[in-house]
Amino acid sequence: MQKNDLGAIDKFRIVAAALVIMIHTGDIPFLGESGNLLLSGVIARIAVPFFFAVTGFFTDLSSAENMKKLLKKTVFMYTAATAVYLPYGSYFASIKQVVFDGSFYHLWYFPALALGAGIVFFLKKLPTAAALTIASALYAFGLCGDSYTLLAQKAEPMRRLLEVLTNVFFYTRNGIFFAPLFLLIGNIIGNKIRSDDEHCRRPENTLNFVAGFALSLVLLGVERFSLRGITYAPRDSMFISLIPCTVFLMLTLSSVRVKPKPVLRRVSMWIYIIHPIFIDLITRVKNSLNETGTLGDDARHVILTALISIVTAAVIEILHTIKKHPNKKQAL
């Protein structure tokens, strides 16, 4: 694989990080109910599957050594992110939350990545078709506890099973049911492109891939709006159409020859980690100003908390950079 021409993936990381922010912010007034649902409930939902697929794309998940490196990095980032949110009370999270749901509401990604990668590591010992079948079956069950939960619960055995599982984790959008399929999809696509590059035959089908992605996105919209018409599910993160969306998105980005931008990888990750701090900061300051016209005690508290968290994030990043590049220590 020619890693020096896969920059489109790096650039889309920033887009994906912005889409995650859209999911966590309030509705945009001028878009209306349907417009906001289209933006945050359809388009933005491709972001997290993309991040999982990218990890699978660039990581040899069949290698024990690479798995150790991935798990080490993931644990470090999860620990660092949790430290950033200590001022917000992450230390009150239970063991169950830390392992499955995340120490803060958006940090579920890190334990899901670690657990999902571990599952894929064992699935890679099977033929590709068998691995995909198992990962798809896990995802199908996850759908029953997410966007399709109110439909699935009409079957008594499924309802009882979901009740049992909610004692273990709150969401089926986790490292068992959500992450493995997208990690595996990214890994299969990455291996295919690596093989094509070795034989100098990487296909030039960008327009076909774009068309496939556009059609998949339309199907995702139809699925999401159809579910709204059937039932208002309490969770809406997992959809069938996310699978072809992710496949064609990765094929599209990997077929575009663009110089890589490694710095965007860490920038997008830190955007993902700290964006709730700014959402909380803006919301509380705005509410305080609306009520009093000046900064109240609540606004001052949240500003101080945000500054502590941001400084913590900066210190972690500096220490990580020094550790990674010890020869640059003096320059810092």
Side-chain angles (χ1 to χ4, degrees), residues 8-318:
I9 293 177
D10 288 337
K11 293 183 177 181
F12 195 81
R13 290 174 194 260
I14 301 299
V15 176
L19 291 176
V20 171
I21 294 175
M22 291 178 185
I23 294 174
H24 295 152
T25 53
D27 290 347
I28 301 175
F30 66 84
L31 289 180
E33 181 183 353
S34 295
N36 279 290
L37 182 61
L38 178 63
L39 180 62
S40 62
V42 178
I43 298 174
R45 289 299 171 185
I46 66 175
V48 176
F50 162 78
F51 281 123
F52 282 121
V54 167
T55 299
F57 187 95
F58 287 108
T59 308
D60 181 3
L61 296 175
S62 62
S63 165
E65 185 61 30
N66 286 336
M67 275 296 301
K68 289 179 183 178
K69 291 179 181 179
L70 176 62
L71 292 177
K72 183 179 179 180
K73 178 181 178 181
T74 302
V75 169
F76 169 78
M77 291 303 299
Y78 189 30
T79 303
T82 300
V84 169
Y85 281 90
L86 285 178
Y88 285 83
S90 290
Y91 44 84
F92 291 118
S94 66
I95 297 298
K96 180 177 71 173
Q97 285 178 287
V98 170
V99 174
F100 292 106
D101 301 325
S103 53
F104 204 71
Y105 69 86
H106 68 304
L107 299 183
W108 68 273
Y109 173 83
F110 295 104
L113 176 58
L115 185 55
I119 291 173
V120 174
F121 173 73
F122 289 103
L123 290 180
K124 291 287 288 182
K125 300 180 185 301
L126 302 173
T128 300
L132 274 174
T133 299
I134 295 173
S136 298
L138 290 172
Y139 188 79
F141 182 85
L143 289 170
C144 297
D146 197 90
S147 298
Y148 288 81
T149 182
L150 296 184
L151 292 176
Q153 286 182 350
K154 292 181 179 180
E156 185 64 18
M158 180 62 71
R159 184 186 66 79
R160 291 182 178 180
L161 180 57
L162 289 172
E163 285 180 355
V164 171
L165 290 178
T166 53
N167 293 321
V168 181
F169 40 74
F170 188 69
Y171 300 104
T172 53
R173 176 216 60 186
N174 58 31
I176 299 175
F177 303 108
F178 186 89
L181 181 58
F182 297 111
L183 284 164
L184 190 57
I185 285 172
N187 190 249
I188 292 171
I189 293 174
N191 288 341
K192 177 64 167 60
I193 291 178
R194 188 159 33 241
S195 175
D196 288 342
D197 279 346
E198 288 175 355
H199 295 88
C200 301
R201 64 183 186 197
R202 191 194 295 188
E204 300 290 346
N205 296 320
T206 303
L207 291 179
N208 292 337
F209 296 150
V210 171
F213 175 65
L215 177 59
S216 300
L217 199 58
V218 170
L219 292 175
L220 178 60
V222 171
E223 182 180 6
R224 181 65 184 87
F225 279 87
S226 297
L227 284 173
R228 184 181 66 164
I230 298 172
T231 179
Y232 285 91
R235 306 178 185 95
D236 60 349
S237 303
M238 300 178 68
F239 300 96
I240 299 170
S241 304
L242 276 177
I243 299 171
C245 276
T246 304
V247 170
F248 283 109
L249 176 60
M250 292 303 299
L251 288 172
T252 298
L253 295 174
S254 59
S255 68
V256 177
R257 309 299 178 90
V258 179
K259 185 177 179 180
K261 295 287 185 181
V263 66
L264 297 181
R265 301 166 194 172
R266 295 190 66 79
V267 169
S268 64
M269 182 56 67
W270 279 111
I271 290 175
Y272 179 87
I273 289 173
I274 69 174
H275 75 269
I277 294 174
F278 289 96
I279 293 174
D280 185 53
L281 175 63
I282 293 170
T283 300
R284 295 203 187 203
V285 170
K286 179 181 177 181
N287 291 341
S288 179
L289 288 174
N290 286 341
E291 294 174 0
T292 66
T294 58
L295 289 178
D297 291 339
D298 185 57
R300 293 192 185 96
H301 171 73
V302 77
I303 290 173
L304 178 61
T305 303
L307 287 174
I308 293 171
S309 296
I310 293 169
V311 169
T312 302
V315 170
I316 291 170
E317 180 64 17
I318 291 171

